[in-house]
Amino acid sequence: MSTTKILTRGLHSLRSTSTLATWNRSFSIISTSRNIPIASRPKIITPPRNCAASSSPTFRSFSTSRIQQHGHITPPKPGEELYVTFIDKDDKEHKIAVSAGDNLLDIAQANDLEMEGACGGSCACSTCHVIVLDEDCYDKMPEPEDDENDMLDLAFGLTETSRLGCQVVMTKELDGLRVKLPSMTRNLQASDFSQK
Amino acid sequence: MASIAKSRLCNTCLRQVVSRSSWLAKSSSMITRHSYATTSHNDQPFRMAVVGSGPAGFYTAYRVMSRIQQAKVDMFEALPVPFGLVRFGVAPDHPEVKNCQDKFEEVASSPNFTFIGNVAIGNQGDHFRGCTIPLASMMRHYDAVVFAYGASKDKKLGIPNESELRGIYSAREFVGWYNGLPEYADLAPDLTQGEDAVIIGQGNVALDVARMMLQNVDVLRKSDITESAIETLSKSRIKRVHIVGRRGPMQAAFTIKEVRELMKLHGVFFHSIDMALLPDELSKLPRARRRLMEILVKGSTSRLEHSDKSWSLDFCLSPAEFRGTPEGRVQNTIFERTSLSSPFDPTSSVQNLSEKLQIPSSVVFRSIGYKSVALPGFTEAGILFDDKKGVIQNDGFGRVLQTTQDRVASKSELTTLPGAYCAGWVKRGPTGVIASTMEDAFSTGDAIAADWAAKVQFLNSGENHGWEGLRTEVDEDACRVIRWENWKNIDKAERERGLLAGKEREKYTKIGEMLAAGR
């Protein structure tokens, strides 16, 4: 998508609803089948109720999105970005603007975060284990299915708010979500060894 | 272009991209992205040999190639085909578990990676028709070697008639057979002698074996299970599967996914377990154990009257003896009852009692674990192998240990052997799912990268050329070396065969067929 188009779409969402129709007509070329119909877009732009402790920015400059072209993540539309923060095992925070409908595994992989997804996101391993940091936010997610819980049971460092990244799909309710990536390599073997 | 090269592609995308010609360039920059170790010692790239091409080998290679810039990895595999237990161990009806192959494909597509298939290191295995390179010759050409060859043998029960009677198989043989492992291509297990199967051992492999016999064959038909296995399984007369363990449910090694699958099988009934072996209040158990026990208590979705097959978990029985027919076929297994010192403690010890019990056994599978063995040449190389545990002695991070003499104190001590590493089952024993092997391989990979960055001593200080140097000592044509592009030919041919049979792939089960298809 060209910069001009991003800018116009950003402006688009800033305009009042009365002018949306006109904008839509004149820029119909940017509409794709994935675009949400105008009518269903939020009419009043207010920070949605979400997972962020403080109000998460609904508007950000359009150029900050780090999302790159990728088969599985949709670049967020300006004004419709949801934010998710990954805290990696070195405690470094990565705040990422994403679209509703993308799952945490795809988001992490598209952004070069260290999350494996050995089974390709098919809920058959536990390598995309994440720990949801806010309990309220965890409660807003649909309950994990048996399959997911079965895999979580095998995850190293399981917590009360653990989920599999491939099963957590971003929604507006989850805007501001913060998740921790557990350390992948365990040091147990070394301590086992020293006891011998 | 630059942005694509920088991004990590997910597995599904990868499949689409892999076919593009520009992929090699992309993947090389992708793999070296996270580098923090220096490029080289004395400006030479890091050269590493990996023995074994299963998950442990590939995940270690992946980690090292991500962590050390321009690391060159040569992977040796005794068979013409890669992926180890992902191909030959993972159950055919668990195709999603095999998706980790996408990552391995990604690693293998790097120009810094060389696959050397049909070449064994040190050991001329049972199933081997390629060439064998002595360990010492190989080690001369690398900075480091990673042993990731897994567990190629299985444990024995050591009870009377185990080896004498027909109809007793190891789970390793059976699993290898239905997955097309050339070593067991001709196993032809006999499932027609009666209705009772006994599986000794209660790990996930035991449950896989049970599922193969209980599952509707038509479900398996679409998987990559071999055609001969389908034929044998469709003639099976087995109706009742006993999965027998020495200890109780609280000590069992199987995991919940595999149990749940069996509980959900249509027309397959689960005989309820002995509730005395469970604590009264399951809700107080830790999460994973609680969920597993709950599912055992809940039982199967199919009721007995609607089932034509059934299975049970028979706890607290220790195999004592096999008895056979006059023709020399197994007929019964004699067990001694056991007693748990602390039934609800997952680490409870167990003691045999004198009371005996007999279970009819038309066929028996021994599923009490795999075992790694040392490679010829370990002793000469100073590599310590723990025969009892079946692992290479290591420092817990995968650094191989050796014994060195401390002349001052005139005693021997364990030190790390420069440049020698291990990963996977040969490092920590034959347990765990792919995720645990991945974690384990990553820890070995991190140790290698840290050592390289710290400029510690490695195998050889001079210039190493890896396979390029080693191949001059090998008659490559006579060896029929399988490179990655040859494997891709085999892969393609297997998929085409599969297409005709309406399944994912039809594996070649003979080395000769693989070599012919790889040309």
Side-chain angles (χ1 to χ4, degrees):
Chain A
M1 192 182 293
S2 75
T3 318
T4 335
K5 279 176 188 169
I6 293 173
L7 280 169
T8 47
R9 289 181 64 188
L11 280 169
H12 185 170
S13 59
L14 283 166
R15 297 270 163 153
S16 69
T17 43
S18 59
T19 57
L20 279 178
T22 333
W23 276 87
N24 189 46
R25 260 203 304 281
S26 45
F27 289 94
S28 57
I29 195 163
I30 62 170
S31 291
T32 67
S33 56
R34 276 192 187 152
N35 280 3
I36 302 166
I38 297 296
S40 69
R41 288 186 186 172
K43 298 229 160 86
I44 304 163
I45 300 159
T46 50
R49 265 191 237 175
N50 54 39
C51 283
S54 56
S55 65
S56 85
T58 318
F59 298 107
R60 289 279 299 253
S61 72
F62 324 113
S63 57
T64 54
S65 168
R66 290 185 55 228
I67 305 291
Q68 289 145 2
Q69 284 303 317
H70 188 268
H72 282 284
I73 53 172
T74 322
K77 284 188 226 117
E80 292 179 12
E81 297 97 337
L82 303 174
Y83 287 87
V84 55
T85 303
F86 292 87
I87 295 141
D88 68 22
K89 63 175 192 225
D90 302 320
D91 281 330
K92 215 175 133 201
E93 299 205 2
H94 306 262
K95 186 170 185 174
I96 299 164
V98 302
S99 301
D102 288 334
N103 73 55
L104 296 188
L105 173 63
D106 288 343
I107 293 168
Q109 294 199 328
N111 286 278
D112 276 357
L113 298 175
E114 216 161 79
M115 192 191 275
E116 268 315 312
C119 73
S122 58
C123 202
C125 73
S126 56
T127 55
C128 65
H129 174 202
V130 297
I131 297 163
V132 179
L133 290 178
D134 178 9
E135 216 167 294
D136 289 344
C137 203
Y138 177 84
D139 292 338
K140 282 180 186 152
M141 297 172 181
E143 294 249 324
E145 304 274 336
D146 283 344
D147 286 359
E148 184 183 348
N149 276 327
D150 290 356
M151 288 300 125
L152 281 171
D153 281 354
L154 303 180
F156 180 65
L158 181 70
T159 70
E160 291 288 320
T161 58
S162 286
R163 292 296 303 256
L164 292 184
C166 68
Q167 302 299 304
V168 176
V169 174
M170 283 303 289
T171 60
K172 203 177 285 175
E173 290 70 38
L174 297 182
D175 188 19
L177 175 66
R178 291 167 61 81
V179 295
K180 171 111 182 88
L181 307 183
S183 174
M184 286 287 246
T185 49
R186 50 182 96 185
N187 294 330
L188 283 176
Q189 297 116 329
S191 57
D192 287 349
F193 178 75
S194 62
Q195 282 161 12
K196 278 170 205 163
Chain B
M1 182 54 121
S3 71
I4 295 174
K6 267 179 78 183
S7 79
R8 176 176 295 173
L9 294 166
C10 80
N11 294 323
T12 317
C13 291
L14 195 67
R15 272 178 232 127
Q16 296 157 2
V17 180
V18 149
S19 57
R20 296 183 202 159
S21 58
S22 60
W23 172 241
L24 279 184
K26 287 177 201 167
S27 73
S28 69
S29 58
M30 190 168 68
I31 279 174
T32 55
R33 190 181 56 245
H34 289 295
S35 310
Y36 58 63
T38 50
T39 309
S40 62
H41 291 182
N42 307 320
D43 293 328
Q44 295 300 320
F46 179 63
R47 285 201 184 263
M48 182 171 92
V50 178
V51 183
S53 69
F58 265 109
Y59 277 124
T60 308
Y62 167 56
R63 193 66 157 196
V64 167
M65 290 164 84
S66 316
R67 293 288 198 252
I68 303 177
Q69 210 180 352
Q70 292 303 317
K72 296 198 180 298
V73 174
D74 296 341
M75 182 177 279
F76 294 88
E77 168 57 54
L79 285 168
V81 295
F83 305 141
L85 283 186
V86 175
R87 180 180 164 110
F88 295 118
V90 171
D93 56 342
H94 288 166
E96 67 285 351
V97 177
K98 302 188 190 203
N99 284 345
C100 58
Q101 285 175 191
D102 295 343
K103 175 64 78 183
F104 307 159
E105 295 269 1
E106 179 189 331
V107 172
S109 63
S110 161
N112 288 326
F113 179 93
T114 307
F115 179 74
I116 302 144
N118 204 32
V119 175
I121 299 298
N123 197 12
Q124 186 168 334
D126 310 324
H127 50 77
F128 184 67
R129 284 207 283 150
C131 68
T132 307
I133 297 177
L135 181 62
S137 314
M138 188 267 269
M139 285 173 79
R140 276 199 291 275
H141 294 275
Y142 293 91
D143 292 299
V145 55
V146 179
F147 299 102
Y149 59 84
S152 59
K153 301 282 172 229
D154 60 284
K155 291 183 186 149
K156 293 218 158 161
L157 294 164
I159 60 171
N161 299 326
E162 182 178 4
S163 308
E164 288 77 16
L165 294 174
R166 279 178 286 121
I168 302 170
Y169 305 94
S170 76
R172 188 187 138 74
E173 291 171 328
F174 187 67
V175 170
W177 164 76
Y178 66 64
N179 277 325
L181 184 66
E183 188 179 352
Y184 302 123
D186 301 320
L187 184 73
D190 189 348
L191 305 176
T192 63
Q193 296 297 315
E195 298 189 347
D196 292 272
V198 167
I199 303 171
I200 297 171
Q202 294 184 327
N204 282 336
V205 175
L207 299 198
D208 280 350
V209 170
R211 200 172 64 253
M212 287 304 130
M213 290 185 286
L214 295 166
Q215 175 90 275
N216 183 337
V217 180
D218 290 331
V219 173
L220 296 172
R221 217 180 281 279
K222 297 180 191 104
S223 74
D224 67 0
I225 193 170
T226 62
E227 224 26 62
S228 71
I230 286 293
E231 216 181 295
T232 302
L233 290 172
S234 45
K235 287 181 195 149
S236 165
R237 286 177 55 207
I238 301 298
K239 296 238 180 279
R240 174 77 161 88
V241 179
H242 303 259
I243 307 174
V244 192
R246 290 178 67 222
R247 302 199 289 170
M250 288 292 289
Q251 293 79 30
F254 49 68
T255 55
I256 190 164
K257 173 190 172 179
E258 283 72 14
V259 176
R260 190 187 298 281
E261 272 180 303
L262 281 169
M263 293 295 186
K264 280 183 173 170
L265 288 184
H266 187 70
V268 177
F269 178 73
F270 176 67
H271 299 271
S272 59
I273 64 168
D274 179 359
M275 293 301 283
L277 295 168
L278 292 181
D280 289 337
E281 288 186 85
L282 291 184
S283 60
K284 289 188 177 160
L285 291 173
R287 171 193 158 132
R289 192 57 62 175
R290 167 179 57 81
R291 296 185 72 247
L292 183 55
M293 293 308 115
E294 282 170 353
I295 205 165
L296 291 180
V297 171
K298 199 173 160 206
S300 55
T301 46
S302 293
R303 301 225 306 264
L304 183 57
E305 58 271 31
H306 299 135
S307 303
D308 55 358
K309 289 182 183 173
S310 70
W311 66 292
S312 59
L313 289 164
D314 300 8
F315 295 109
C316 293
L317 294 175
S318 173
E321 183 189 347
F322 293 109
R323 294 202 183 142
T325 60
E327 298 79 41
R329 272 205 63 85
V330 68
Q331 194 172 30
N332 285 299
T333 311
I334 313 294
F335 293 91
E336 284 174 357
R337 285 201 189 278
T338 67
S339 155
L340 291 160
S341 61
S342 170
F344 311 143
D345 174 3
T347 61
S348 171
S349 65
V350 63
Q351 213 182 357
N352 282 25
L353 303 173
S354 53
E355 187 190 343
K356 290 194 176 170
L357 181 115
Q358 172 174 302
I359 299 181
S361 315
S362 325
V363 61
V364 173
F365 299 94
R366 174 182 68 221
S367 180
I368 52 166
Y370 291 3
K371 196 172 77 176
S372 300
V373 288
L375 292 185
F378 269 11
T379 316
E380 294 77 4
I383 296 163
L384 293 178
F385 193 86
D386 184 334
D387 284 312
K388 204 167 148 232
K389 287 187 187 154
V391 296
I392 294 174
Q393 288 201 44
N394 68 92
D395 73 342
F397 295 101
R399 297 182 183 93
V400 173
L401 296 180
Q402 62 178 345
T403 313
T404 44
Q405 297 296 324
D406 184 339
R407 285 193 188 133
V408 183
S410 72
K411 61 174 185 185
S412 61
E413 58 177 5
L414 293 180
T415 54
T416 54
L417 178 62
Y421 300 85
C422 55
W425 281 6
V426 76
K427 168 184 172 189
R428 68 190 156 84
T431 56
V433 293
I434 288 174
S436 28
T437 288
M438 185 190 82
E439 284 179 11
D440 170 73
F442 282 179
S443 78
T444 296
D446 287 347
I448 296 169
D451 289 351
W452 185 251
K455 295 186 187 286
V456 302
Q457 194 193 337
F458 276 82
L459 279 178
N460 309 292
S461 48
E463 196 173 330
N464 293 306
H465 294 102
W467 174 242
E468 291 313 311
L470 179 56
R471 67 191 295 184
T472 59
E473 302 168 21
V474 174
D475 183 349
E476 219 179 323
D477 286 334
C479 270
R480 302 291 312 277
V481 173
I482 293 286
R483 304 292 291 264
W484 196 254
E485 55 270 26
N486 304 120
W487 150 245
K488 295 310 286 181
N489 291 340
I490 301 173
D491 182 43
K492 187 162 167 271
E494 286 186 342
R495 285 177 193 277
E496 282 167 4
R497 277 154 50 99
L499 211 59
L500 294 174
K503 59 206 275 197
E504 161 88 20
R505 97 172 45 236
E506 185 62 55
K507 290 177 188 167
Y508 291 111
T509 62
K510 304 278 188 209
I511 304 265
E513 294 173 337
M514 292 173 180
L515 294 177
R519 266 184 211 134

